[in-house]
Amino acid sequence: MWPLHAAGFTTVFGAHGVAAVLGGDTDDVVGSLLMLGALLALYDGAEVLLKPLFGSLADRIGARPVMIGGLIGFAAASAASAAYVVADSPGWLWAARLGQGAAASAFSPSASALVARLNPAAKHGRAFGSYGFYKSIGYTLGPLLGGALMWLGGLRLLFGVMAAPAALVAVWALLAVPAAPPLPRRRQTVLDLARRLADPVFLRPTAALAAASAALSVGVGFLPVSGAAAGYGTIATGAAVSVLALTAAVVQPKAGRALDEGRLTTGRGLTTGLLVSAAGLGCAAVPGLPGILLAAVLIGAGTGLITPLGFAALATATPKERIGQTMGSAELGRELGDAGGPLLVAGVATAAGLGTGYAVLAAVIAAGPLIALARAGRGRTAPGAAGTPTGDGPAA
């Protein structure tokens, strides 16, 4: 499992280590907000388009070679940034960022598929909790290490350092990860795929994962804006983001263990995680550092609950021969949430203020679980319904 944890860290570090420092580059290529936004979008755009394709490829030829190939591609794309510095050509920087995103699209869903394949269903919660822990460490350390490397040697050093761990993890995975060969599959039509992806067994955990990604992305991107507006410096706001990531890292293994031990159900955990994340976004609208820190803790706790439970539910409900396709499609949902959350908050904030933007996203995230709880409550209290209180004690 350790090479898979390292692969998860690498993909998040690659995304956030660069994204956090590109705006500090004084070169004309990232000197305008438009160019900065386009450079940031290249990575996520490649992931949105390619993750489902690479997930399906992992089912066809095996997840291990797809993951290793993606790690090698990530190392090569990072090393290609040296040409940007030597040739002073912005095109090489664009190519490097696009290549990183495409490579991450290969090894991210493949690593998730291997986590599911190499662990029994009874340990899926622990497995995805541990995997998510190391990804959260990448969220925490990526901006810090990226900023330090940028300060020491600029983009050349940053991309060069990123190439090294990707290459090392690729060799490590080649030596240590079991083969997990592809399993026999019956023929699947487009209609079969559509039915499977439209099934609530897939949609519910994927929607929860997308909502968690939206809350996390908004927390990372906009809590520093709220802190700056309240007069706090970059150290205080950066600490808030680190608190968010560290909370998510601590909660994920605990949530996975509770699921495996039967102390937590998937439905209850996802519902709680969504409501806690929504509450965190509500706290973000409270002026001052206490509101920001409370928002960071709650958003981190909510996403930490949702992530291992959502992936464990998908892994358990998916035929093993289609696990790569499912993980790739679920990762697509997460990427859409990752992009859609900040867009929604930014759009509302432009018209009505950032606090209103937080509130709108909180309402969107909380709507589904609140409706489900209301329906469940009506079902329990309906005359003749199972579980109706009989006077002997409270309803279950």
Side-chain angles (χ1 to χ4, degrees):
M1 284 292 292
W2 286 106
L4 303 182
H5 295 161
F9 174 87
T10 300
T11 182
V12 176
F13 176 60
H16 290 263
V18 176
V21 302
L22 277 177
D25 185 18
T26 57
D27 192 281
D28 288 341
V29 70
V30 288
S32 73
L33 290 176
L34 179 61
M35 290 297 102
L36 174 60
L39 269 172
L40 294 175
L42 271 179
Y43 194 102
D44 291 328
E47 290 191 306
V48 167
L49 292 175
L50 297 177
K51 274 186 174 180
L53 298 178
F54 280 118
S56 297
L57 181 64
D59 290 333
R60 185 177 297 274
I61 68 172
R64 181 172 174 267
V66 175
M67 184 184 74
I68 293 172
L71 288 165
I72 294 172
F74 191 91
S78 299
S81 67
Y84 157 64
V85 178
V86 173
D88 195 24
S89 173
W92 283 104
L93 179 59
W94 288 78
R97 195 62 179 157
L98 179 61
Q100 282 186 323
S105 303
F107 66 76
S108 181
S110 301
S112 297
L114 284 168
V115 171
R117 284 283 306 273
L118 299 178
N119 290 276
K123 294 185 178 180
H124 277 166
R126 287 182 178 87
F128 281 105
S130 298
Y131 180 67
F133 171 83
Y134 287 97
K135 293 190 76 170
S136 294
I137 295 299
Y139 278 113
T140 305
L141 296 182
L144 297 175
L145 294 177
L149 292 169
M150 187 75 175
W151 178 74
L152 288 172
L155 283 174
R156 174 174 52 185
L157 178 61
L158 175 59
F159 277 105
V161 168
M162 284 186 173
L168 290 174
V169 173
V171 175
W172 191 8
L174 184 64
L175 297 175
V177 175
L183 299 172
R185 301 176 302 157
R186 69 176 182 86
R187 184 176 177 273
Q188 177 182 255
T189 66
V190 174
L191 185 58
D192 293 331
L193 175 61
R195 286 198 188 105
R196 191 158 62 83
L197 297 185
D199 192 318
V201 172
F202 172 83
L203 283 180
R204 286 169 184 161
T206 301
L209 288 167
S213 292
L216 179 66
S217 183
V218 167
V220 171
F222 287 92
L223 286 182
V225 176
S226 295
Y232 297 101
T234 55
I235 294 178
T237 56
V241 174
S242 295
V243 166
L244 190 160
L246 284 173
T247 303
V250 169
V251 169
Q252 288 193 60
K254 296 181 182 296
R257 191 177 304 112
L259 177 67
D260 290 343
E261 294 174 355
R263 295 182 285 111
L264 182 66
T265 65
T266 300
R268 182 175 297 177
L270 293 180
T271 297
T272 302
L274 289 169
L275 293 177
V276 170
S277 298
L281 289 166
C283 291
V286 177
L289 191 60
I292 293 172
L293 289 175
L294 185 57
V297 170
L298 291 176
I299 292 173
T303 56
L305 263 175
I306 292 168
T307 303
L309 302 187
F311 277 114
L314 290 169
T316 301
T318 301
K320 294 297 184 185
E321 67 272 16
R322 300 287 182 187
I323 193 68
Q325 187 180 72
T326 293
M327 292 302 170
S329 300
E331 290 277 4
L332 170 60
R334 294 187 77 194
E335 293 297 332
L336 293 176
D338 197 31
L343 286 174
L344 175 61
V345 170
V348 174
T350 300
L354 185 54
T356 305
Y358 289 135
V360 169
L361 181 58
V364 171
I365 291 175
L370 288 176
I371 292 172
L373 288 173
R375 288 176 177 171
R378 286 199 301 270
R380 283 195 297 267
T381 57
T388 301
T390 61
D392 296 328

